[in-house]
Amino acid sequence: MFKRERAYATTHKSLPAKVYLAAGALEDDKHHDDMLRNTLALARALKARKYPDLQRQAQVIAGEEHLSVAPVSPTRGMRPLLAPRPAAPGASG
C-alpha cells in the first residue's frame, strides 16, 4: 500500500476521496503484521500530502484486536458517508 501511495503522489496533487482507516489498539505486534503501526503510518503519509479534496479519518479502536475490529470498523467508517450533508449557504429547505 505504501508503494502505491508514493507512486500516486508522484503524479497527482489531488485525491478526491473519503478515506477511513482503522486498527484495533491491540493489533500492535508481529502476529498482526504491525497493523496498528502501518495504519497510523499511512494516515500520516496521507495527511502530509495535503490533498485539498481528501477527506480522511484514522481511528484506533480501543480494546479491539485483529478479529474483533473487523465487524466494528466498517460500521464506523460508514457513519461519515451516510451522515446528512449540511445545507449549502443560501439554500432553503
Side-chain angles (χ1 to χ4, degrees), residues 45 51 61 71 74 85:
Y51 294 119
I61 302 174
R85 294 183 183 179

Side-chain angles (χ1 to χ4, degrees), residues 7-57:
Y8 183 90
T10 61
T11 58
H12 297 81
K13 298 294 181 202
S14 175
L15 180 56
K18 294 179 181 181
V19 176
Y20 174 77
L21 302 170
L26 304 177
E27 290 187 278
D28 62 349
D29 61 20
K30 295 293 181 190
H31 296 293
H32 297 108
D33 197 27
D34 289 324
M35 291 294 292
L36 178 58
R37 183 179 56 82
N38 289 332
T39 299
L40 295 175
L42 182 57
R44 284 190 301 273
L46 291 173
K47 181 179 181 180
R49 301 288 182 204
K50 298 183 180 175
Y51 294 119
D53 51 355
L54 173 62
Q55 296 177 40
R56 58 173 176 68
Q57 180 181 2

